[in-house]
Each structure stands twice: as structure tokens, then as C-alpha cells.
């Protein structure tokens, strides 16, 4: 049965999430390795002040995901595919062996810093649920037509499910969109816990900076393959994965299409790496039946048992795909 690791992006963090990782030698070694790469105490990255920093949050998310992936692998839980949402794509690249952990952390730190510097203050992201893509795009077009100032533009940033999207833009414009979306029948409008906007054209300078930084680090063929955010395709060579790591910061995340691509290749079980449990809710929109196992708050042995139960229920085993 095909198994995938999926790695969350910003918004999944909460105070103390790194401290809640299982206590195991491989986890402690991962934290030490991250601290040496970043030159700081990694366990400070989940404190309240750090959670206000895009740079700190993005680095911490990668650390949490890689630590749990290594722990699960030490228990024999091996993915057939790996995918990451937004900055989680860097976690996925490390899990797949495309980037070395230390290199990825340094590039992610650059990513967060560049995003904040490029956009400045006053930007954010809004989750909108319950509208079709066409209906939401109509609202965005209406807004853009009535605002000539570039900073007032809104951008469709994440396509997470057929009626679940995230919009990036200037905060005042997002607040106005939230009101119009509710009037149009949206069930949910919620500002995300992020200090910047992501996946929008104004971040082209950050994409350029990422291309330069990634060109200077070692790259390896993915093992297992990575499902890309931008293309929503299974990527089997390092250049394709690295290209999406840079382009993804300024282009929409096609998360639903990425999940469909995995299902079409036989995906039947996902393990959501920490922190949080944000990605599982979107499985209901997928064709077929997919079992989700949250690693957040669980020991490796607990995750292993849940995965094996899922495999047995579907007539397969964890070592076959």
C-alpha cells in the first residue's frame, strides 16, 4: 500500500511545538544539528516571541518535520512519496534527500527574511471556505478592478480543496474581501497566523534570491519522489524539485491537485508530520479512500501501529506500494 509523508506550512505552528516532539536520541540529534546550522538554540523557535517571526517559524517547521521523519524511519515507517505545503516543501526536500538538512535550514532562513523584507508590514493571508474557485476569482477580479494601487491587489495563493482557498494580499484589502466573501455565501473567512503574504507575484525578488542560494548547495536525486506544489506532479529529479522550491514562493500552491496526483498513483495512507493536524481535513475532497495518521503528539511506535492497521484494513502491508 502506498504511503506518503506530508509536511505542513506556516499556520500549523503553536507555542511549544518543538518541545512536544518525542524524546528520542534521533530527535535530540536532529535538534542539535539544526542548532549548529543556524547558530542558535533551536528550542527557542517555538517560544511566543519567535512565533511572530516569519524567519523563525519557517525554520522551526522544517526542524519539526525532519525530526519526526527521521524518528519514524528508525521505526521502519518509510514513505513512497513525500509532499510539503508551502515551506513544507523544503521539509519534503530534506526527507527525500534532495537537500542536506543544514543547507535547507540556511536557505529557509533566507526565505523567511527575504519575504519579510520584500513585502514589509501590512500583508497577510486569508482562508476562504465554502465558495467555488470561480466565485472567489470573480470577487478578486472585482476588487482588483476597483483598486489601481499595486499594494491593494489580492492574489489566489493556495488551492487546498475544491471549496477551500487562501488569498494573499494587503491586510486592509483582505478584510474587505472577507466581508464580500461572507456576503457571497462563504462559510469561513479566517486570517491565518502568518506575518507576511506568500505565493504571490510581489515575492519575485525572494524567488530570485532562492534560486541563487539553491544553486550553491548540493542537490541529490529524490528518494522517494517528491510531489510538487507548483506543478502538482511527481518529481523524480533534483533540478525539478529545486526549481519548485524557488518558484513556489511567488506562485500558487496547488495542494488539492498534488493530493489527487498521489491518489492516482495508489496513495492509500498519509502520515502528517508535525506540527499540527491541518492537512488531514482536506482529504475528504479526494477521490477514493485515504487514511490519515497524525504524527503530532504521538510516539513513533503509535504512528507505526496506526499505519500498520491502515495497511491491514486495506489488504496491504507497509513495505509494499
Amino acid at each position: 500500500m502506498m504511503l506518503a509523508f506530508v509536511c505542513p506550512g506556516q499556520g500549523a505552528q503553536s507555542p511549544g511545538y518543538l518541545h512536544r516532539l518525542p524524546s528520542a536520541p534521533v530527535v535530540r540529534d536532529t535538534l542539535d544539528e539544526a542548532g549548529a546550522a543556524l547558530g542558535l538554540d533551536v528550542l527557542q523557535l517555538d517560544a511566543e516571541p519567535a512565533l511572530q517571526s516569519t524567519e523563525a517559524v519557517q525554520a522551526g517547521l522544517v526542524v519539526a518535520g525532519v525530526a519526526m521523519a527521521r524518528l519514524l524511519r528508525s521505526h521502519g515507517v518509510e514513505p513512497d512519496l513525500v509532499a510539503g505545503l508551502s515551506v513544507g516543501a523544503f521539509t519534503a526536500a530534506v526527507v527525500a534527500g534532495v537537500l542536506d538538512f543544514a543547507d535547507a535550514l540556511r536557505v529557509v532562513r533566507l526565505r523567511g527574511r527575504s519575504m519579510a523584507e520584500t513585502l514589509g508590514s501590512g500583508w497577510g493571508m486569508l482562508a476562504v471556505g465554502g465558495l467555488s474557485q470561480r466565485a472567489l476569482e470573480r470577487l478578486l477580479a472585482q476588487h482588483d478592478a476597483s483598486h489601481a494601487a499595486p499594494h491593494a491587489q489580492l492574489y489566489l495563493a493556495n488551492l487546498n480543496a475544491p471549496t477551500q482557498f487562501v488569498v494573499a494580499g494587503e491586510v486592509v484589502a483582505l478584510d474587505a474581501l472577507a466581508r464580500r466573501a461572507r456576503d457571497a455565501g462563504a462559510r469561513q473567512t479566517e486570517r491565518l497566523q502568518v506575518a507576511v503574504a506568500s505565493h504571490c507575484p510581489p515575492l519575485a525578488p525572494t524567488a530570485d534570491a532562492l534560486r541563487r542560494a539553491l544553486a550553491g548547495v548540493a542537490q541529490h536525486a529524490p528518494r522517494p519522489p517528491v510531489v510538487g506544489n507548483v506543478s502538482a506532479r511527481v518529481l523524480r529529479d533534483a533540478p525539478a524539485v529545486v526549481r519548485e522550491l524557488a518558484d513556489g514562493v511567488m506562485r500558487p500552491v496547488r495542494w488539492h491537485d498534488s493530493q489527487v496526483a498521489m491518489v492516482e498513483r495508489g496513495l492509500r495512507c498519509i502520515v502528517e508530520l508535525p506540527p499540527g493536524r491541518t492537512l488531514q481535513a482536506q482529504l475528504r475532497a479526494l477521490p477514493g479512500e485515504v487514511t490519515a495518521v497524525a504524527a503530532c503528539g504521538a510516539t513513533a511506535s503509535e504512528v507505526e501501529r496506526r499505519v500498520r492497521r491502515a495497511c491491514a484494513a486495506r489488504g496491504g502491508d507497509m513495505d509494499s506500494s
Side-chain angles (χ1 to χ4, degrees):
M1 182 184 74
M2 184 168 283
L3 170 70
F5 284 177
V6 295
C7 316
Q10 276 187 271
Q13 72 276 4
S14 61
Y17 70 90
L18 289 168
H19 286 77
R20 292 192 291 272
L21 290 170
S23 179
V26 67
V27 172
R28 291 192 293 271
D29 289 346
T30 301
L31 297 178
D32 290 343
E33 185 181 349
L38 295 173
L40 50 77
D41 178 2
V42 171
L43 288 177
Q44 295 180 355
L45 295 178
D46 65 6
E48 285 281 6
L51 296 183
Q52 309 308 310
S53 164
T54 297
E55 181 180 336
V57 168
Q58 292 190 12
L61 292 174
V62 175
V63 172
V66 170
M68 180 57 80
R70 289 177 172 179
L71 180 59
L72 292 175
R73 280 176 154 168
S74 73
H75 282 248
V77 182
E78 282 286 345
D80 301 290
L81 291 170
V82 60
L85 177 68
S86 189
V87 73
F90 281 85
T91 311
V94 175
V95 173
V98 177
L99 299 181
D100 296 332
F101 185 36
D103 287 337
L105 286 174
R106 287 188 282 265
V107 175
V108 166
R109 179 168 58 184
L110 166 69
R111 183 184 191 268
R113 183 185 307 130
S114 177
M115 289 172 69
E117 291 174 351
T118 297
L119 294 178
S121 61
W123 289 73
M125 305 189 78
L126 176 77
V128 179
L131 294 181
S132 68
Q133 183 175 343
R134 178 174 296 181
L136 180 56
E137 287 176 337
R138 188 180 304 117
L139 293 178
L140 297 182
Q142 291 170 356
H143 172 87
D144 291 348
S146 62
H147 293 78
H151 71 278
Q153 300 300 295
L154 295 172
Y155 306 92
L156 185 57
N158 293 59
L159 294 81
N160 292 335
T163 59
Q164 179 64 53
F165 306 95
V166 176
V167 177
E170 192 260 346
V171 168
V172 174
L174 291 175
D175 291 342
L177 174 67
R179 292 190 294 270
R180 290 196 304 275
R182 290 192 293 270
D183 290 342
R187 294 192 305 271
Q188 173 210 24
T189 58
E190 179 182 356
R191 285 278 302 282
L192 301 185
Q193 298 179 55
V194 297
V196 294
S198 300
H199 314 297
C200 57
L203 286 172
T206 296
D208 290 339
L210 289 174
R211 290 187 195 98
R212 292 191 295 270
L214 288 164
V217 303
Q219 302 172 16
H220 316 280
R223 300 286 187 275
V226 173
V227 181
N229 274 193
V230 176
S231 65
R233 299 179 62 181
V234 176
L235 308 176
R236 302 180 184 277
D237 63 272
V241 175
V242 171
R243 184 165 52 250
E244 291 217 0
L245 292 177
D247 290 349
V249 76
M250 59 174 284
R251 298 182 61 182
V253 172
R254 296 171 57 197
W255 185 247
H256 177 68
D257 290 343
S258 298
Q259 291 182 305
V260 170
M262 290 191 285
V263 171
E264 289 175 344
R265 284 157 180 79
L267 176 70
R268 291 297 177 266
C269 182
I270 69 163
V271 173
E272 181 175 355
L273 300 180
R277 299 172 175 82
T278 60
L279 303 180
Q280 298 181 53
Q282 295 149 14
L283 293 178
R284 291 190 294 271
L286 293 177
E289 294 184 11
V290 179
T291 299
V293 177
C296 184
T299 67
S301 296
E302 289 170 341
V303 174
E304 180 187 0
R305 286 196 295 272
R306 294 173 193 170
V307 170
R308 290 192 182 281
R309 283 200 299 269
C311 292
R314 299 188 184 284
D317 62 74
M318 198 164 62
D319 301 317
S320 64
S321 59

